[in-house]
């Protein structure tokens, strides 16, 4: 039915967006890719991330901020808007 078709389409669109987002995160390079993944996929704090990768938490926060700006630019270039 139409509802099933619409639901399947929504699932496909979400998966496509997720895949695009993962590829865009990979384009950030290291250590930003790892930091963003830990922050938004593992829900880790800047302090936890900092301890794991050997940075101070202020540096991790700065990298998150800069990486998000880069990520927005990458996604915009790929046709996604905020």
């Amino acid at each position: 039915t139409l509802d099933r078709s619409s639901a399947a389409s929504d699932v496909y669109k979400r998966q496509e967006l997720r895949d695009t987002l993962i590829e865009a995160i990979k384009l950030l390079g290291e250590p930003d890719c790892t930091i963003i993944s830990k922050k938004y996929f593992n829900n880790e704090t800047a302090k936890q991330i900092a301890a794991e990768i050997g940075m101070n938490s202020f540096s991790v926060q700065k990298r998150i901020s800069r990486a998000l700006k880069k990520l927005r630019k990458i996604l915009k270039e790929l046709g996604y808007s905020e």
Side-chain angles (χ1 to χ4, degrees):
T1 64
L2 186 57
D3 288 339
R4 283 187 186 164
S5 176
S6 179
S9 177
D10 288 348
V11 168
Y12 176 77
K13 286 178 185 176
R14 280 194 303 271
Q15 183 63 44
E16 184 178 3
L17 179 58
R18 183 178 185 274
D19 292 346
T20 300
L21 184 57
I22 290 169
E23 288 304 313
I25 291 169
K26 288 178 183 177
L27 290 173
L28 294 172
E30 291 298 341
D32 295 346
C33 176
T34 295
I35 291 170
I36 292 297
S37 296
K38 288 180 177 293
K39 173 74 175 166
Y40 294 101
F41 291 103
N42 299 354
N43 295 316
E44 294 182 26
T45 65
K47 187 175 181 179
Q48 290 170 318
I49 297 167
E52 290 176 28
I53 65 173
M55 283 186 176
N56 66 53
S57 60
F58 178 77
S59 295
V60 169
Q61 281 292 90
K62 266 306 218 197
R63 285 200 167 266
I64 290 169
S65 178
R66 289 179 186 149
L68 289 176
K69 286 179 185 176
K70 287 183 202 174
L71 194 54
R72 283 186 197 101
K73 183 180 178 190
I74 291 167
L75 291 172
K76 189 175 181 180
E77 289 171 0
L78 293 173
Y80 292 90
S81 59
E82 293 181 47

